[in-house]
Amino acid sequence: MLRGTRILLLLLLLTTTATAQPYTLLIRNGYCIDPASNRRDTFDVAIVDNRIVRIAKRIDPHQAKKQLDARGMIVCPGLIDIHTHVFFAADSATANNTADSDLEYAGGSEALHPDSFSFRSGVTTIVDAGSSGWRNFPTFKARVIDRSKTRVLAFLDIVGAGMRGNPYEQDTLDMNGALTATVARRYPKDIVGIKVAHYLGTSWHPVDAAVSAGTIAHIPVMVDFGEHLPPMPIRQLFEQHLRLHDIFTHCFAQLEDREPIVDPTAGHLKPFVKIEQLKGIVFDVGYGEISFAFSQAIPAIKAGFLPNSISTDLHKGATHDMLDILSQFLAMGVDLPTVITMASWNPAREIGRPRLGSLREGHIADIAILQLEKGDFEATDHLGQTMTSGQKLICIWTIKDGRLVYSHNRPGL
Ligand SMILES: [Zn+2]
């Protein structure tokens, strides 16, 4: 190489280095809450493409192509909602069909589009809770998982046909642990667990088949333990049927067809519940339409019991988003870092995805930037009990895979 050319190349390299902007996005001045690293202070967060690469007290803004000023805001991991129903209908004709052919949660009218509800409430990962089974999972994947901006993962229902209503969800012959496990193992990037729900009978077969599938595929089981009349015993479920790390959803439900964790008459938490949680059973909120009662949650929290994770049970009848529910837990006296933990780092570990749900360097840049809005707020549960609060969490910006995907009353980038 000629001497002159070499000097020119060296000069070019020096110039490029001096003006380089290595970070694709910089979030400045936000109050970071990261449960995984126990970080709670004001930090700048630098991102390159889809990864968090640096967290420091001050990062030179000139080194970033784009930046967001999060002064006065909360910067936390993108929220993870592990109980949703997003296997939406392929067309409006199916969605509006109320005849027997309606597919309900399994591609029918009960399910919603994930992107319409996720980013506006700081959610970057949604887990569908059993809407599809081994027979229709490929349809769910092609229609929803592969086409959504939201990261969509799935619990596979133990019923081969998924949650398509009755009589399908009562067909114990279609609850095949081996076939369910086969499909779960074929799609390890998408399927994070097995689901049991809506079984009316008194047999333990649905739970046991789901646990056998979970054991073969090395993934947890999520149990929606209804709808049995009289209710089946939850202590027996925890002690004799579930494994450690299996998930009991709708944990604050108070309905006649399921045994509650708080005795509704005495108003106290059943002592074995805390013991089972300490042993490793996971308790998830699954708020939904009728699956949460303050008369369960308030005494449980007063007794020192907190759910491991908060989730919405998003579907057509469920009207509360993640931030509504997080705000209700704040109103019940749970502190903000704990509430954030129950909506990010805890669910990430419950579904075996520890690269999500944290703000650590090297991890995926899924980030929610929230604000505590002051005002008079109230929430009423399906039993008519109301909770009031002077603050509510709102989402200002949502970043998924390092890209801004939602902006509330703020300019974008
Ligand atoms: Zn559900």
Side-chain angles (χ1 to χ4, degrees), residues 83-85 105 129-131 163 195 197-198 222 224 249-250 286 288 291 312-315:
H83 187 154
T84 70
H85 296 282
Y105 299 88
S131 304
M163 295 172 68
K195 175 85 183 294
H198 297 175
M222 176 186 274
D224 166 355
T249 192
H250 301 317
S291 298
T312 60
D313 190 15
L314 175 75
H315 64 273

Coordinates of all heavy atoms in Angstrom, one line a residue, residues 83-85 105 129-131 163 195 197-198 222 224 249-250 286 288 291 312-315, ligand 1:
H83 N -50.5 -14.2 31.6 CA -51.8 -14.8 31.4 C -52.7 -13.9 30.5 O -53.3 -12.9 31.0 CB -52.5 -15.0 32.8 CG -53.8 -15.8 32.7 ND1 -54.3 -16.6 33.8 CD2 -54.7 -16.0 31.7 CE1 -55.4 -17.2 33.4 NE2 -55.7 -16.8 32.1
T84 N -52.8 -14.3 29.3 CA -53.6 -13.5 28.3 C -54.2 -14.5 27.3 O -53.9 -15.7 27.3 CB -52.7 -12.5 27.4 OG1 -51.9 -13.3 26.6 CG2 -51.8 -11.7 28.3
H85 N -55.1 -14.0 26.5 CA -55.7 -14.8 25.4 C -55.7 -14.0 24.1 O -56.5 -13.0 24.0 CB -57.2 -15.2 25.8 CG -57.1 -16.1 27.0 ND1 -56.8 -17.4 27.0 CD2 -57.3 -15.8 28.4 CE1 -56.8 -17.9 28.2 NE2 -57.1 -17.0 29.1
Y105 N -61.9 -18.9 22.8 CA -60.5 -18.4 23.0 C -59.5 -19.0 21.9 O -58.5 -18.5 21.7 CB -59.9 -18.8 24.4 CG -60.7 -18.2 25.5 CD1 -61.8 -18.9 26.1 CD2 -60.3 -17.0 26.1 CE1 -62.5 -18.4 27.2 CE2 -61.0 -16.5 27.2 CZ -62.1 -17.2 27.7 OH -62.8 -16.7 28.8
A129 N -52.3 -17.9 27.5 CA -52.5 -19.0 28.5 C -53.4 -20.0 28.0 O -54.6 -20.1 28.4 CB -53.0 -18.3 29.8
G130 N -52.9 -20.9 27.1 CA -53.6 -22.1 26.8 C -54.7 -21.9 25.8 O -55.6 -22.8 25.6
S131 N -54.8 -20.8 25.0 CA -55.9 -20.7 24.0 C -55.8 -21.8 23.0 O -56.8 -22.2 22.4 CB -55.8 -19.3 23.4 OG -55.9 -18.3 24.4
M163 N -58.7 -23.9 24.1 CA -59.8 -23.4 24.9 C -61.0 -23.0 24.0 O -61.3 -21.8 23.9 CB -59.4 -22.3 25.8 CG -58.3 -22.8 26.8 SD -57.6 -21.5 27.8 CE -59.0 -20.9 28.7
K195 N -51.0 -25.6 30.0 CA -52.1 -25.0 30.8 C -53.3 -26.0 31.0 O -53.5 -26.8 30.1 CB -52.7 -23.8 29.9 CG -53.9 -23.1 30.5 CD -53.6 -22.1 31.5 CE -54.8 -21.4 32.2 NZ -55.6 -20.6 31.2
A197 N -57.4 -25.7 32.3 CA -58.5 -24.7 32.6 C -59.8 -25.3 32.3 O -60.0 -26.2 31.5 CB -58.3 -23.5 31.7
H198 N -60.8 -24.7 33.0 CA -62.2 -24.8 32.6 C -62.8 -26.2 32.7 O -63.8 -26.5 32.1 CB -62.5 -24.3 31.2 CG -62.2 -22.8 31.1 ND1 -62.3 -22.2 29.8 CD2 -61.8 -21.9 31.9 CE1 -62.0 -20.9 30.0 NE2 -61.7 -20.7 31.3
M222 N -49.4 -24.2 34.2 CA -50.3 -23.2 34.8 C -51.7 -23.8 35.0 O -52.3 -24.2 34.0 CB -50.4 -21.9 33.9 CG -51.3 -20.9 34.5 SD -51.5 -19.4 33.4 CE -50.1 -18.4 33.8
D224 N -55.6 -23.1 36.0 CA -56.8 -22.4 36.3 C -57.8 -23.4 36.9 O -58.4 -24.2 36.1 CB -57.4 -21.8 34.9 CG -58.8 -21.3 35.1 OD1 -59.4 -21.4 36.1 OD2 -59.3 -20.7 34.1
T249 N -52.9 -19.9 38.9 CA -53.4 -18.6 38.4 C -54.8 -18.3 39.0 O -55.4 -19.2 39.6 CB -53.4 -18.5 36.9 OG1 -53.6 -17.1 36.5 CG2 -54.4 -19.3 36.2
H250 N -55.3 -17.1 38.9 CA -56.5 -16.7 39.5 C -56.4 -16.8 41.0 O -57.4 -17.2 41.7 CB -57.7 -17.4 39.0 CG -57.9 -17.3 37.5 ND1 -57.8 -16.2 36.8 CD2 -58.3 -18.3 36.6 CE1 -58.1 -16.4 35.5 NE2 -58.3 -17.7 35.3
G286 N -53.8 -13.3 37.4 CA -54.8 -13.7 36.4 C -56.1 -12.9 36.6 O -57.2 -13.5 36.7
G288 N -58.5 -10.8 35.1 CA -59.7 -11.2 34.3 C -60.9 -10.3 34.6 O -60.9 -9.2 35.1
S291 N -62.2 -12.8 38.2 CA -61.2 -13.7 38.8 C -60.4 -13.0 39.9 O -59.3 -13.6 40.3 CB -60.3 -14.4 37.8 OG -61.1 -15.2 36.9
T312 N -53.0 -10.2 33.6 CA -54.3 -9.6 33.3 C -55.4 -10.6 33.0 O -56.6 -10.3 33.2 CB -54.2 -8.6 32.1 OG1 -53.8 -9.4 31.0 CG2 -53.3 -7.5 32.4
D313 N -55.1 -11.7 32.5 CA -56.1 -12.6 31.8 C -56.8 -11.9 30.7 O -58.0 -12.0 30.5 CB -57.1 -13.2 32.9 CG -57.9 -14.3 32.3 OD1 -57.6 -14.8 31.2 OD2 -59.0 -14.6 32.9
L314 N -56.0 -11.1 30.0 CA -56.6 -10.3 28.9 C -57.5 -11.2 28.0 O -57.1 -12.2 27.4 CB -55.4 -9.7 28.0 CG -55.8 -9.0 26.8 CD1 -56.4 -7.6 27.1 CD2 -54.6 -8.8 25.8
H315 N -58.7 -10.8 27.8 CA -59.7 -11.3 26.9 C -60.8 -10.4 26.7 O -60.8 -9.3 27.3 CB -60.1 -12.8 27.2 CG -60.9 -12.8 28.5 ND1 -60.3 -12.9 29.8 CD2 -62.3 -12.8 28.7 CE1 -61.3 -13.0 30.7 NE2 -62.5 -12.9 30.1
Ligands
ZN1 ZN -57.5 -17.1 31.2

